[in-house]
Structure formats: structure tokens, C-alpha cells
Amino acid sequence: MRKPTTAHWLAFLLPAALLAGAWGAQLLGGLYPCQLCHWQRWPHYAALVLAGLAFLVPAGRARGALVLLAALAIAASGAIAVAHAGVEYGWWPGFTACTSTIDFTNLDPSQRLDAIMKAPLVRCDHAPWTLAGISLAGFNAIFSIAGAITILALMTRERA
């Protein structure tokens, strides 16, 4: 049984690290996730399971297929993160209930209060934390897409 490749290790460790960061930000930093944040996590969970299963199968097509699927799941998280970052930066409108487009201009005070009370607690169109102008969704997009491309490139090189 051949040892796992660099691509395999990256397909396992990248989503593990990104999920650890997300959970750390939530549990230690008090940055609670919105709906789109949760959507970004699901493909990473899938990638972690797929890459983990790949450790259990002999080297060959089955292992390669699992690592490939993990890379595609990581890329999917990156795509969701691009969509989320675009909502946060105001590039396009949000498409979930966690974005706010309340127009207060024609509302009386009781209607305004009602609109505020019905607004989601954690909004998808507001970045609660940034570093150098890049939100957590932006960082996930960068790391996930770059990681998926790297895994695919390594898979190609390691097969040759």
C-alpha cells in the first residue's frame, strides 16, 4: 500500500484547518455564522470525509477518485464563499433571508420596530471581521479555490 500523496494530505488538512478556523472564530471569537457561512462549511465537511476515506483504501483509482471529489468539494466551498463575499462587499444582492434590504422611508415607527425585530440576528451582507479589507468569506474563497487548484495540479504531477 503506497503512502498518501501530497495532494491527498492537502485535501485532508486544508478543510480541517479551514473548519478549525471557522469553529475557532465562532466559539472563541464570538463570530456567529450566518446562513451563507454554514453553506460554506458543508462542502468542507464532505471533503474531510472523502479525504479521510481515501486513507482507508489502497492506492489506485479509488483513492484518486476520493481525493478528486474532495478537491471538488473544496472548490465548491470556494465558489459559495465568492458568492458570500460578493454579498458582503455589495457587489450583488443577497439571495437568502439573512440579508437586509429594509427601506425605512415609508414606515411609521411601529412598522420600523416590527421590521427590525423580524430582521435576522446574523446578517449575510455584513462582514463582522476583516483583515486588510478581506472578510472571512473572502479568505475562505482564496484558500479554498487556491487549495483546490493546487490539489488538482499535484494530482496531475504525482500521477506522471
Side-chain angles (χ1 to χ4, degrees):
M1 190 162 156
R2 264 190 6 212
K3 293 189 322 188
T5 63
T6 305
H8 185 178
W9 278 109
L10 185 58
F12 182 77
L13 294 175
L14 179 63
L18 291 172
L19 285 168
W23 278 101
Q26 179 179 339
L27 298 175
L28 302 175
L31 299 175
Y32 296 100
C34 69
Q35 185 176 8
L36 287 174
C37 295
H38 281 294
W39 288 3
Q40 291 171 70
R41 291 181 186 188
W42 286 106
H44 283 309
Y45 293 131
L48 200 56
V49 169
L50 291 163
L53 287 173
F55 285 110
L56 303 176
V57 300
R61 288 184 183 210
R63 182 187 286 179
L66 288 168
V67 173
L68 175 63
L69 289 172
L72 294 175
I74 293 166
S77 178
I80 295 167
V82 167
H84 186 189
V87 170
E88 289 176 335
Y89 298 135
W91 297 339
W92 44 75
F95 40 86
T96 68
C98 63
T99 56
S100 180
T101 57
I102 300 171
D103 181 11
F104 291 108
T105 53
N106 295 322
L107 300 178
D108 66 44
S110 67
Q111 291 172 320
R112 289 180 186 178
L113 179 61
D114 189 48
I116 290 169
M117 295 305 290
K118 289 181 181 174
L121 294 175
V122 181
R123 293 179 35 191
C124 295
D125 59 353
H126 172 72
W129 181 90
T130 62
L131 178 65
I134 302 173
S135 68
L136 289 172
F139 278 112
N140 184 40
I142 293 165
F143 289 125
S144 294
I145 292 170
I149 290 169
T150 303
I151 292 164
L152 295 172
L154 285 169
M155 288 181 72
T156 302
R157 191 182 87 206
E158 289 170 349
R159 275 185 56 177

